[in-house]
Amino acid sequence: MSEPEGEEPAFEIAVVVPKGNVNAEDSSFDCVELLVREFRKLGFVVERVIGVADEFIKLAAALETLGRAAARLQVKKRTRIGVDLLFEWEEVEAFVRQPDGSLFSWSERFHCYQHLIYGIENKSRSAIILKHEGKELRWEVGECLLQKLEAEGIVKDVFPLHDEIKRKKLLHSWALHWRGFTDQPMDEICSYFGTKIAVYFAFLGMYTKWLLFPALFGLMLQIIDFGSLQLLVLPIFFISITLWAIMFSQFWKRKNAALLARWQISYPVGADAGHKLLGMEWGSFQSPMEIIRKWGTDNTKEKEFFQRNEWFGRFLRFRNDALVILSIICLQLPFELAYAHTYEVVESDLMKFGLTAVYLFTIQYVTQIGGKISVGLIKHENNENKEKRADSLVYKVFGLYFMQSYIGIFYHALLHRSFLTLRQVLIQRLLVSEVLENLLENSLPYLKYSYKKYRLRRKRKCEKGSSTGKIQFTSRVEKEYLKPSYSASIGDELEDGLFDDFLELALQFGLIMMFACAFPLTFAFAFLNNITEIRTDAVKLLTMFRRPVPRAAATIGAWLNIFQFLVVMSICTNCALLAWLYDQEGKWKIEPGLAAILIMEHVLLLIKFGFSRFVPEEPAWVRANRVKNATQAQNMCSKQLLRTMSGGEKVFSEVKRSESGECN
């Protein structure tokens, strides 16, 4: 199958190499020239762009080139009868296309590119001597050329490029489209950025839309003076937002399942290809003979080995979690309590606001140190795959931020027993943290980009020995190269920039839920902030960062467990706040409200777990399609197996006849 006429493949990958002069005599042995020739042999469309300091090799691949690479990678794709089968280029018409009309998703294309460019090896019988700027390199037999050049510093970077046509379209229909509030072109986002980023924006859009109800309810409580009925309205508000949070969690699971069905993802993508589990490579297929050679025929030893490694891995995770918790209690807790006590001692509101800003700015660096320690601990855990390691990082880092974000508020609520002070702290925390986060996440990428351009201009001027004239960056690929990558502030080898975005949402959710009765208006602040967050995050991804490397994730993973944990915590904290509010003596005695706490807490917890059983996690049509596809796949496999067996019997009977004929 060929591509549509007149449509040229878009450049999607860039390789950065030093800019240099190559003589015609040495061009056949030059590293960069050889790399370009190998790219063209693979079928890539190659364009070379000379920048201010470096040279950029842009790569585009025809559909057939990617299709044959996908077949070698044994990529599974959905067929027109609803069954996932290994892709074959010769049978391309049998496979379903993406919602945007393309054959492969961005994640599939990116992995095909990686397979092709990192699959260039020395297939000759002897080593090849390569040259680069007077330096000789030895390219060994079977060695990957690109990895060799990366190790030598000749290839500086390999990164995905933005598609300008699709990027501008998304800018107008998504990032700059303010009229729709939470409306987003989810199919286009998924096809351009991949499933993980699309799922994040789907979650953010649904969360923001659902925030409208508690925001209006909280605004009504703030505007209308209910007088003596206030003590009745607050419990109703608390019960309403608790049910709201429980319903949101369940209905998000349903929407997530519907999105996966629409995007033709039949199961959550778990392990990354080729990951090691218990010392075994499960990414590649193992034949029965290989398993027998490795394990033998003793099933008892194999069972003992798996059990021993399973419990040893759990012990390592438990040990690391205990270390993180102990560090929080011994190191971070005193610091948080000292800040909370200082806040109470200071009388000036301006000083309190400034203290909160300095505290939030300083604690970011303290938490990053804890995050780096967590990453080091995770490396010594026996996690099955990269996704499990990322989930472990999420739990540990959220524990650090949970202590940082809420311990001071608990201090004001439990010890100082002042609703007025608690509301002031909530307002300052919410406003300062949201404003600070938005300023940092939107200004830092631009500042990093500007600083890189400044350093490069200054370096070139020093090399030329002239200070006149401004050096211009004319090529778009060089501008993208200077932009920062979309990476996590903590553990970027395990997570991308969505880690920080999800962390911000989780901390906001905990703040507005756990202290809802103290200040219901926080839901309105969160609603307005999230409407802005959708558009600013979109602008950030499309203009301020390089195009993110696609990551395979079909759900929000550990973050859903954290949101559900915060719902349970909010039931406990708000019951306590209501009990203290009902203490008419104002001494905040716990005895008068103990019965109310126990009854309301147990009822709401029962409702939470009961509702999770009542509402199914996937819509009926998704479940029906899944069963239908599984049935069709089983029928096809049964028919194919019967044909194979029948063919085998015919071959066997023919062989027997020929043998008997020879004997006669």
Side-chain angles (χ1 to χ4, degrees):
M1 178 180 174
S2 60
E3 295 179 275
E5 287 187 24
E7 183 179 333
E8 295 183 357
F11 291 103
E12 295 184 299
I13 300 292
V15 181
V16 187
V17 296
K19 185 170 65 173
N21 297 320
V22 180
N23 298 326
E25 298 177 358
D26 300 332
S27 62
S28 58
F29 299 100
D30 183 75
C31 296
V32 177
E33 297 296 327
L34 176 64
L35 184 64
V36 171
R37 288 198 300 271
E38 292 293 334
F39 284 155
R40 290 196 169 109
K41 285 181 183 178
L42 290 173
F44 285 126
V45 179
V46 180
E47 181 179 325
R48 302 176 70 171
V49 178
I50 305 298
V52 174
D54 300 297
E55 181 180 350
F56 302 89
I57 304 171
K58 296 163 61 178
L59 302 178
L63 187 60
E64 183 176 354
T65 304
L66 295 176
R68 298 194 180 281
R72 289 194 294 272
L73 282 170
Q74 296 186 332
V75 173
K76 275 193 173 183
K77 290 188 66 64
R78 181 70 53 86
T79 58
R80 297 187 181 277
I81 60 172
V83 181
D84 291 345
L85 296 176
L86 295 178
F87 181 79
E88 293 184 13
W89 173 249
E90 289 74 15
E91 308 296 335
V92 65
E93 295 295 344
F95 295 92
V96 178
R97 289 181 171 263
Q98 303 296 312
D100 66 342
S102 59
L103 179 62
F104 297 107
S105 67
W106 165 231
S107 179
E108 291 168 341
R109 293 201 308 275
F110 181 79
H111 285 98
C112 288
Y113 274 107
Q114 278 196 317
H115 171 73
L116 290 169
I117 64 178
Y118 283 96
I120 301 174
E121 297 177 350
N122 182 5
K123 297 180 181 179
S124 61
R125 297 183 178 180
S126 60
I128 299 175
I129 305 300
L130 304 177
K131 296 180 180 180
H132 180 73
E133 296 182 351
K135 180 182 177 181
E136 291 188 350
L137 305 174
R138 187 179 177 87
W139 185 22
E140 300 291 344
V141 177
E143 187 178 15
C144 172
L145 178 60
L146 197 60
Q147 289 181 345
K148 175 72 174 179
L149 299 183
E150 285 178 334
E152 295 292 336
I154 298 173
V155 172
K156 295 183 177 182
D157 203 354
V158 179
F159 65 96
L161 290 171
H162 277 290
D163 185 326
E164 277 305 295
I165 298 176
K166 294 181 180 179
R167 188 185 71 87
K168 289 179 179 178
K169 183 180 178 182
L170 281 173
L171 267 175
H172 289 91
S173 63
W174 177 38
L176 304 178
H177 184 68
W178 289 86
R179 294 181 181 177
F181 290 102
T182 59
D183 293 340
Q184 303 176 85
M186 296 312 308
D187 293 340
E188 288 79 2
I189 297 171
C190 180
S191 64
Y192 189 75
F193 286 114
T195 311
K196 186 175 183 180
I197 290 179
V199 167
Y200 162 73
F201 279 102
F203 179 83
L204 177 57
M206 181 176 173
Y207 171 49
T208 305
K209 186 181 294 184
W210 277 59
L211 271 174
L212 182 60
F213 165 71
L216 293 176
F217 201 161
L219 189 62
M220 181 184 69
L221 291 179
Q222 191 71 21
I223 294 175
I224 302 174
D225 183 12
F226 289 94
S228 60
L229 294 176
Q230 187 76 13
L231 296 178
L232 179 62
V233 174
L234 276 179
I236 295 174
F237 173 73
F238 163 56
I239 294 171
S240 299
I241 62 107
T242 302
L243 295 176
W244 166 86
I246 295 169
M247 291 174 63
F248 167 72
S249 175
Q250 287 302 115
F251 278 94
W252 160 249
K253 294 177 184 177
R254 291 173 61 84
K255 181 169 183 177
N256 197 173
L259 287 174
L260 297 184
R262 193 167 81 188
W263 295 334
Q264 304 162 19
I265 300 174
S266 56
Y267 57 91
V269 181
D272 49 328
H275 73 272
K276 289 187 178 182
L277 174 60
L278 306 179
M280 297 174 61
E281 287 288 341
W282 290 94
S284 56
F285 175 78
Q286 289 187 314
S287 67
M289 292 303 297
E290 290 175 342
I291 295 175
I292 291 173
R293 282 198 299 268
K294 186 157 189 169
W295 298 105
T297 57
D298 192 348
N299 293 330
T300 305
K301 290 184 178 179
E302 179 183 347
K303 182 179 179 181
E304 291 177 355
F305 176 82
F306 275 102
Q307 287 180 339
R308 184 171 63 252
N309 279 274
E310 177 189 7
W311 288 107
F312 181 68
R314 291 182 178 274
F315 170 75
L316 290 177
R317 289 192 288 274
F318 176 78
R319 180 204 65 181
N320 292 344
D321 293 341
L323 287 174
V324 172
I325 294 172
L326 188 64
S327 301
I328 291 173
I329 295 173
C330 296
L331 301 177
Q332 196 172 6
L333 182 59
F335 177 77
E336 300 291 341
L337 293 178
Y339 156 73
H341 179 71
T342 306
Y343 186 92
E344 285 291 334
V345 173
V346 174
E347 296 181 356
S348 172
D349 290 338
L350 184 61
M351 289 290 292
K352 288 182 178 181
F353 192 84
L355 179 65
T356 303
V358 173
Y359 160 77
L360 291 175
F361 185 78
T362 306
I363 200 65
Q364 298 292 329
Y365 295 96
V366 178
T367 312
Q368 284 187 9
I369 295 173
K372 291 179 180 178
I373 295 173
S374 300
V375 173
L377 292 173
I378 290 170
K379 292 180 180 178
H380 299 285
E381 292 180 357
N382 196 14
N383 291 298
E384 291 92 345
N385 51 57
K386 190 174 182 179
E387 186 180 353
K388 295 293 184 183
R389 293 193 294 272
D391 287 347
S392 180
L393 176 67
V394 167
Y395 291 129
K396 290 179 174 61
V397 174
F398 180 77
L400 297 172
Y401 274 91
F402 183 87
M403 181 67 69
Q404 167 219 319
S405 300
Y406 306 128
I407 192 62
I409 305 177
F410 287 140
Y411 178 85
H412 294 298
L414 298 175
L415 298 182
H416 286 272
R417 307 170 183 177
S418 172
F419 258 79
L420 181 60
T421 305
L422 181 58
R423 286 177 179 177
Q424 289 178 351
V425 172
L426 288 172
I427 293 172
Q428 291 179 7
R429 282 292 185 94
L430 192 62
L431 291 179
V432 173
S433 62
E434 297 291 352
V435 171
L436 185 63
E437 287 289 339
N438 285 327
L439 283 176
L440 288 176
E441 71 180 24
N442 290 298
S443 61
L444 279 180
Y446 178 75
L447 292 175
K448 289 179 180 178
Y449 172 65
S450 301
Y451 180 66
K452 282 185 178 180
K453 289 201 299 184
Y454 167 76
R455 285 185 56 190
L456 196 54
R457 284 193 178 109
R458 188 174 181 181
K459 181 181 177 181
R460 296 300 295 171
K461 286 181 179 179
C462 292
E463 290 175 356
K464 292 181 178 180
S466 173
S467 59
T468 60
K470 186 177 181 180
I471 298 175
Q472 298 291 337
F473 296 90
T474 56
S475 63
R476 182 166 295 279
V477 62
E478 186 168 24
K479 292 179 181 178
E480 287 194 33
Y481 172 61
L482 295 175
K483 292 178 182 179
S485 58
Y486 186 58
S487 58
S489 59
I490 299 173
D492 56 351
E493 63 270 31
L494 297 175
E495 279 283 357
D496 55 14
L498 289 180
F499 177 86
D500 299 290
D501 293 327
F502 268 121
L503 180 61
E504 182 183 353
L505 280 183
L507 294 175
Q508 179 202 83
F509 184 79
L511 192 66
I512 64 177
M513 284 296 299
M514 288 196 294
F515 307 97
C517 290
F519 192 40
L521 195 60
T522 53
F523 287 92
F525 286 127
F527 174 72
L528 294 175
N529 174 80
N530 288 0
I531 289 177
T532 308
E533 188 79 17
I534 292 174
R535 307 306 166 186
T536 55
D537 282 354
V539 171
K540 179 178 65 177
L541 282 171
L542 290 169
T543 61
M544 297 182 183
F545 287 105
R546 296 181 187 176
R547 189 176 186 179
V549 173
R551 291 176 181 255
T555 66
I556 64 174
W559 293 109
L560 184 59
N561 295 332
I562 287 174
F563 274 82
Q564 292 175 334
F565 162 76
L566 291 172
V567 172
V568 176
M569 285 291 298
S570 70
I571 293 174
C572 302
T573 56
N574 282 285
C575 285
L577 289 173
L578 283 174
W580 295 327
L581 186 63
Y582 271 75
D583 185 7
Q584 299 297 326
E585 298 179 4
K587 297 180 180 179
W588 286 49
K589 292 181 180 179
I590 199 66
E591 290 84 358
L594 183 58
I597 291 176
L598 293 176
I599 293 173
M600 189 177 296
E601 182 182 35
H602 282 68
V603 169
L604 288 174
L605 287 174
L606 184 63
I607 291 174
K608 178 192 181 303
F609 294 111
F611 196 82
S612 63
R613 298 286 298 175
F614 177 72
V615 179
E617 295 187 358
E618 60 179 0
W621 67 270
V622 174
R623 189 163 56 253
N625 284 343
R626 181 166 50 80
V627 172
K628 176 184 174 183
N629 294 340
T631 305
Q632 288 179 337
Q634 184 177 3
N635 292 338
M636 285 186 61
C637 291
S638 300
K639 291 178 181 178
Q640 185 65 32
L641 182 61
L642 288 173
R643 290 194 193 99
T644 305
M645 293 173 63
S646 300
E649 289 178 358
K650 291 179 180 178
V651 171
F652 180 74
S653 59
E654 289 177 1
V655 170
K656 293 293 289 182
R657 278 195 227 101
S658 62
E659 287 178 353
S660 60
E662 290 177 1
C663 292
N664 294 331

